[in-house]
Amino acid sequence: MDPREMTGAQALIKSLEMQRVEVMFGLPGGAILPVYDPIIDSSIRHILVRHEQGAGHMAQGYAQVTGRPGVAIVTSGPGATNIVTPLADAYMDSTPLVVITGQVATSSIGSDAFQESDTTGITMGITKHNWLVTDANDIPRVVAEAFHVATTGRPGPVLIDMPKDIAQASMEWYWPEPSDLDLPGYHPVTRGDPELVREAAEMMLAAERPVIYAGGGILKARASEGLRELSERTGIPVVTTLMARGCFPDSHPLCLGMPGMHGNYTAVTAMQRSDLLIALGSRFDDRVTGRVDAFAPEAKVIHVDIDPAEHHKVRRADVAIVGDCRLVIDELLMALDSLGLPHSDATRVGSGGTPSDAAPGAPAVPGSSAASFPRDRVDLWRAKLGEWQIRFPLVYAQTDAPGELKPQFVLETLRDATPDDTIVASGVGQHQMFASQWWKFDYPNTWINSGGLGTMGFAVPASIGAKVGRPDKMVWAVDGDGCFQMTAQELVTASSERIPVKIALLNNAYLGMVRQWQEMFYEERYSEVYLSPDLPDYVGWAESMGCIGIRVESPEEVGPAIDKANSIDDRPVVIDFRTDASEKVYPMVAAGASNDEIIVDPSLMRGDN
Amino acid sequence: MSAYGIDKRHHTLTVLVENKPGVLARVAGLFARRGYNIFSLAVAPSDDARFSRITIVVDVESAPLDQIVKQLDKLIPVVSITELAPSAARERELLLVTVEVSPETRGQVIQLVGVFEGKIIDVGHDRLTVMLAGSPTKVDDFEDLIRSYGIVELQRTGRVALPMLERSDDRSNLSAKVLGFANHTEKAG
């Protein structure tokens, strides 16, 4: 027999191997059965999940920490519909995923066959592209196209729908050259227009109150180093959005932290008062802008994004540059060179002090040839930011009273007890905001969360995928009790596959963020938000899934429990932290309000008066 | 004025797409999920069998044209998009109408068809079927006038369009903006 002759299923698996796929997350079923047979002989590790949604979120976690596309494989019908949520999530957060779904035989498509669903139709609006394979000979080309589309331009999820008869049909193996890809309408632009880049550089030098608004595109483009150089050379401070936490070190004196609905006062207000926003791979999400017509009213906008459709979508940009953030930042640095900006001024930026340490009106940098560069004025701006940082810090008060274990205290203790490059995955809600606020992210790709879609239950499977992608790193999931109940069964996957993730469950017995809104905006009328601290018994549940379960009820138990969890490396650990349900996330900008109406922690206002 | 009249809100996009199954669904689905209004839509294979051409008249009050074009261009099977402003396009549309005629009105209808340079393509005892091709305004006018005789059935194809040709050497005044394949880098203003 011709060694090149094989089944569609074999060709699919071989194509994945050609794409250097190391691991895929999935669960078999009728229509995908033929594809599961060659998996036995493949070099690709298959992780058997307990629910297809878990497969998708694991692939997302894997992709976010490795920068490589995550691969998930599920069957037709309910298998496909169960992975719709991760696809929508990955589409919102521009995560590269390749999802393979089984489909009923081509002769049955459209007949309402058993486990049939119109998968390409359902996922059309939540994938970057999808393919229904109708000829086994197309498989290698389609797989190559799928990986190309998922990983280039603005990354995103793609889906390949594989009918059962196509997987069983025979084909003659080949591997396509890049020129064989049939994508005549797909040509992402990666380099910025030099004229616009120069104009942007001039605006950066002329601004008095500039802010770099760094988004998830920095991480996707691996542009962290360039961003740091850009910020240090210009002295321009950086806010890092929820999707960009860690792309610029929180410990850096020019880092202002997270902006947005639950961003810190300085990051939010710096953008509001700014005269120049330099948006790099960010998209003016409503959670960042608040009321759009009141957002950063005095700011001109430079907007760098690889997706031209993001330009002017929410906020009109004065200079809109289409391109990859890493390449455009390099171009910006060269343009700044040619405009005479001196190289890094270590005495000011690298001193380790806060921006307020820089004396306003300090003499110009010796040897500076950038006569027009208003370094003094930017220093004044940074001094102002420093004042705000001192006046409006993030605060909470841990007391000794029983039943008042503060989630922020748990997170600070956890942060201080774990390595600096620990990967943190979170679900969606109060615990997510607390984690983003209180962790110190100093490394790129160490923070994984569901930013755009806001998918509860993301943390457990995403942390498992992250640990698979970076087994050398400690991985903690910070989860809420509402979220945990949505996807906790994947800890069975983690136990059986020996993936030692750790779960910090902030159990306040409520759907906490909804409770917070009902308290603040619905006159404390609590509607359907109470869960229970004891039902389920989280420790017993964790142990039944092969994990170590620990319960923590008071502040003094927090440290020892975390130390114990950190010492366990052969199975997952779940710590059930019983936290104070009355604790709210501050600061907060109410939905639809202007960012000028930021509500800080009440204790700060009392302190002021 | 008829709903079909030339309207500044209506821009014509001619979209070259890969000739593959499901492409029209992708285009229509994009309009539906992003809340863009389609005024009319015509699809047919192009002169190159690998591609089809979709002519979409969009309502730019439902969303900025810039957004509609860029979101369309993100669809992988969309190869290029030509945008034609209402004043810069040669637009044509085909109308088929079956109209009631009596011995008294038959002559009037035939005369009206003659004035509009239409054609009678089918004749019954008390009905005529008429074909008329022309600019959307001309087709509108004809539809208005024929209505009083009693329309049995009427179909319009939706517009197709090509850019108006240059009459001077002034190349800076291009009437059509072609997107796709090109660098999308652009500046506000």
Side-chain angles (χ1 to χ4, degrees):
Chain A
M1 196 177 107
D2 186 337
R4 286 178 304 168
E5 192 177 319
M6 58 178 73
T7 65
Q10 289 169 323
L12 175 62
I13 297 303
K14 186 161 181 175
S15 298
L16 296 177
E17 290 169 354
M18 294 298 286
Q19 290 288 353
R20 300 197 309 279
V21 173
E22 291 164 349
V23 61
M24 52 188 177
F25 306 90
L27 193 142
I32 199 72
L33 258 171
V35 179
Y36 266 76
D37 188 70
I39 288 175
I40 295 173
D41 305 316
S42 172
S43 61
I44 301 172
R45 178 183 181 191
H46 181 278
I47 291 176
L48 176 63
V49 300
R50 267 47 178 183
H51 185 289
E52 290 91 346
Q53 184 187 359
H57 292 322
M58 286 178 204
Q60 286 183 276
Y62 176 88
Q64 288 194 23
V65 297
T66 62
R68 294 167 47 77
V71 179
I73 179 165
V74 300
T75 195
S76 65
T81 55
N82 278 345
I83 208 161
V84 163
T85 300
L87 284 169
D89 194 292
Y91 190 59
M92 279 285 221
D93 288 349
S94 306
T95 310
L97 288 193
V98 177
V99 170
I100 293 151
T101 49
Q103 181 55 278
V104 300
T106 49
S107 57
S108 300
I109 287 178
S111 72
D112 304 318
F114 177 65
Q115 293 194 328
E116 181 184 358
S117 66
D118 172 17
T119 304
T120 49
I122 290 168
T123 59
M124 206 171 265
I126 49 169
T127 51
K128 190 170 169 186
H129 194 53
N130 58 26
W131 290 258
L132 172 64
V133 183
T134 53
D135 183 341
N137 290 299
D138 290 343
I139 290 170
R141 179 179 54 77
V142 167
V143 170
E145 287 174 4
F147 277 79
H148 179 65
V149 169
T151 55
T152 55
R154 180 178 183 168
V158 299
L159 180 140
I160 301 171
D161 204 19
M162 178 70 67
K164 190 170 188 177
D165 57 325
I166 303 298
Q168 288 165 326
S170 68
M171 58 84 71
E172 195 168 296
W173 171 257
Y174 64 98
W175 184 243
E177 296 294 318
S179 60
D180 296 333
L181 301 190
D182 183 22
L183 297 166
Y186 184 67
H187 305 276
V189 172
T190 53
R191 287 198 175 277
D193 179 304
E195 273 182 41
L196 296 175
V197 167
R198 188 178 170 92
E199 193 174 337
E202 285 169 356
M203 287 166 75
M204 288 173 75
L205 294 185
E208 296 183 12
R209 301 182 307 282
V211 175
I212 292 173
Y213 162 28
I218 295 283
L219 294 170
K220 303 294 188 301
R222 300 183 175 92
S224 288
E225 277 181 41
L227 172 63
R228 185 170 177 148
E229 191 180 344
L230 186 70
S231 168
E232 288 181 352
R233 284 190 57 194
T234 56
I236 298 178
V238 179
V239 300
T240 54
T241 69
L242 183 65
M243 289 309 298
R245 305 285 292 123
C247 81
F248 187 77
D250 274 332
S251 59
H252 195 287
L254 284 167
C255 189
L256 304 180
M258 183 174 74
M261 181 175 266
H262 293 294
N264 71 74
Y265 180 91
T266 306
V268 171
T269 309
M271 293 177 91
Q272 284 303 94
R273 298 283 156 271
S274 167
D275 68 346
L276 178 66
L277 286 180
I278 302 132
L280 303 175
S282 47
R283 61 180 179 87
F284 298 86
D285 182 86
D286 56 89
R287 272 354 191 212
V288 168
T289 62
R291 211 177 82 214
V292 173
D293 60 13
F295 173 66
E298 293 152 37
K300 289 192 168 179
V301 172
I302 297 167
H303 192 179
V304 179
D305 204 294
I306 199 157
D307 179 359
E310 290 303 337
H311 291 142
H312 322 303
K313 185 182 83 176
V314 174
R315 170 75 177 241
R316 189 96 203 145
D318 296 276
V319 176
I321 300 172
V322 181
D324 172 274
C325 272
R326 184 165 53 84
L327 298 178
V328 175
I329 287 173
D330 287 349
E331 291 173 83
L332 274 170
L333 289 167
M334 281 190 283
L336 290 167
D337 278 345
S338 70
L339 291 169
L341 180 74
H343 274 264
S344 212
D345 174 10
T347 56
R348 276 186 202 207
V349 175
S351 64
T354 61
S356 61
D357 292 346
V365 185
S368 166
S369 57
S372 64
F373 181 46
R375 203 50 192 258
D376 298 354
R377 283 175 288 173
V378 173
D379 282 347
L380 281 173
W381 171 231
R382 285 168 54 199
K384 185 77 197 163
L385 301 176
E387 283 171 28
W388 289 337
Q389 284 175 322
I390 290 164
R391 191 160 157 211
F392 298 109
L394 294 171
V395 289
Y396 71 94
Q398 180 59 63
T399 64
D400 293 332
E404 287 194 7
L405 175 59
K406 300 294 185 186
Q408 301 98 321
F409 175 78
V410 172
L411 285 164
E412 283 209 288
T413 312
L414 183 60
R415 175 195 71 204
D416 294 341
T418 49
D420 288 345
D421 64 350
T422 296
I423 291 168
V424 183
S426 103
V428 169
Q430 285 184 315
H431 67 276
Q432 174 192 27
M433 293 296 113
F434 286 135
S436 179
Q437 288 178 339
W438 290 92
W439 206 268
K440 285 270 175 280
F441 293 101
D442 281 343
Y443 296 88
N445 306 316
T446 54
W447 165 243
I448 301 152
N449 84 132
S450 165
L453 194 67
T455 305
M456 286 179 66
F458 181 80
V460 168
S463 67
I464 294 168
K467 184 70 181 174
V468 170
R470 294 305 303 266
D472 53 318
K473 290 207 182 183
M474 186 178 279
V475 177
W476 273 90
V478 175
D479 215 1
D481 46 321
C483 279
F484 185 79
Q485 291 190 56
M486 290 192 176
T487 51
Q489 81 284 343
E490 296 309 337
L491 287 171
V492 179
T493 305
S495 292
S496 56
E497 295 274 348
R498 302 213 166 270
I499 302 163
V501 292
K502 305 174 201 307
I503 318 291
L505 179 61
L506 303 180
N507 174 9
N508 65 356
Y510 275 96
L511 298 168
M513 189 60 93
V514 184
R515 183 193 186 281
Q516 174 168 342
W517 283 48
Q518 290 178 348
E519 179 180 336
M520 294 174 74
F521 309 120
Y522 290 84
E523 297 157 343
E524 298 180 50
R525 285 163 56 85
Y526 297 116
S527 177
E528 305 296 327
V529 285
Y530 180 67
L531 300 173
S532 161
D534 305 305
L535 183 67
D537 165 6
Y538 291 100
V539 169
W541 191 10
E543 291 186 342
S544 76
M545 293 190 286
C547 311
I548 302 290
I550 306 169
R551 178 160 299 131
V552 168
E553 288 174 297
S554 64
E556 63 273 12
E557 295 168 351
V558 172
I562 291 169
D563 290 342
K564 183 179 173 194
N566 284 343
S567 70
I568 296 166
D569 206 34
D570 62 344
R571 70 194 66 190
V573 184
V574 177
I575 309 182
D576 173 17
F577 292 103
R578 300 293 178 89
T579 58
D580 180 0
S582 69
E583 196 63 22
K584 291 189 284 296
V585 184
Y586 287 115
M588 176 168 188
V589 178
S594 157
N595 282 354
D596 287 333
E597 297 162 51
I598 183 169
I599 306 164
V600 296
D601 190 286
S603 69
L604 291 172
M605 299 318 289
R606 286 194 297 275
D608 255 8
N609 302 331
Chain B
M1 188 173 116
S2 146
Y4 283 87
I6 284 187
D7 191 322
K8 286 208 168 90
R9 295 182 314 167
H10 293 151
H11 279 239
T12 306
L13 300 176
T14 65
V15 185
L16 193 69
V17 299
E18 290 184 69
N19 192 1
K20 286 183 178 169
V23 174
L24 181 60
R26 291 178 197 277
V27 171
L30 173 76
F31 275 76
R33 70 177 172 269
R34 293 210 180 256
Y36 308 154
N37 288 340
I38 295 178
F39 179 74
S40 76
L41 184 129
V43 195
S46 73
D47 51 334
D48 182 335
R50 291 173 302 158
F51 304 112
S52 290
R53 195 175 298 279
I54 305 180
T55 307
I56 314 172
V57 179
V58 297
D59 178 354
V60 295
E61 273 195 358
S62 65
L65 185 66
D66 177 67
Q67 261 299 298
I68 298 175
V69 169
K70 285 170 168 178
Q71 294 291 353
L72 259 181
D73 196 47
K74 276 166 73 169
L75 296 178
I76 306 291
V78 168
V79 177
S80 71
I81 304 166
T82 308
E83 181 237 316
L84 298 169
S87 58
R90 294 289 182 204
E91 297 174 305
R92 288 297 178 269
E93 191 173 0
L94 178 68
L95 169 147
L96 295 179
V97 60
T98 298
V99 61
E100 286 175 358
V101 287
S102 62
E104 296 78 48
T105 60
R106 184 181 294 264
Q108 294 171 23
V109 170
I110 291 170
Q111 202 176 15
L112 189 64
V113 172
V115 169
F116 276 83
E117 296 171 302
K119 257 188 182 168
I120 293 168
I121 58 171
D122 204 0
V123 182
H125 290 294
D126 51 2
R127 291 176 179 185
L128 294 175
T129 295
V130 177
M131 176 196 93
L132 180 80
S135 69
T137 22
K138 178 177 170 181
V139 176
D140 283 349
D141 290 346
F142 181 75
E143 188 186 328
D144 272 355
L145 291 166
I146 204 80
R147 188 174 299 280
S148 59
Y149 295 98
I151 291 171
V152 180
E153 247 184 301
L154 181 145
Q155 276 194 34
R156 297 176 65 155
T157 56
R159 302 172 204 183
V160 293
L162 285 174
M164 223 175 254
L165 297 178
E166 300 297 322
R167 295 222 180 98
S168 70
D169 293 334
D170 182 10
R171 289 269 157 190
S172 65
N173 184 27
L174 288 178
S175 56
K177 183 168 107 187
V178 180
L179 291 149
F181 285 123
N183 185 324
H184 291 295
T185 305
E186 61 158 86
K187 197 187 144 187

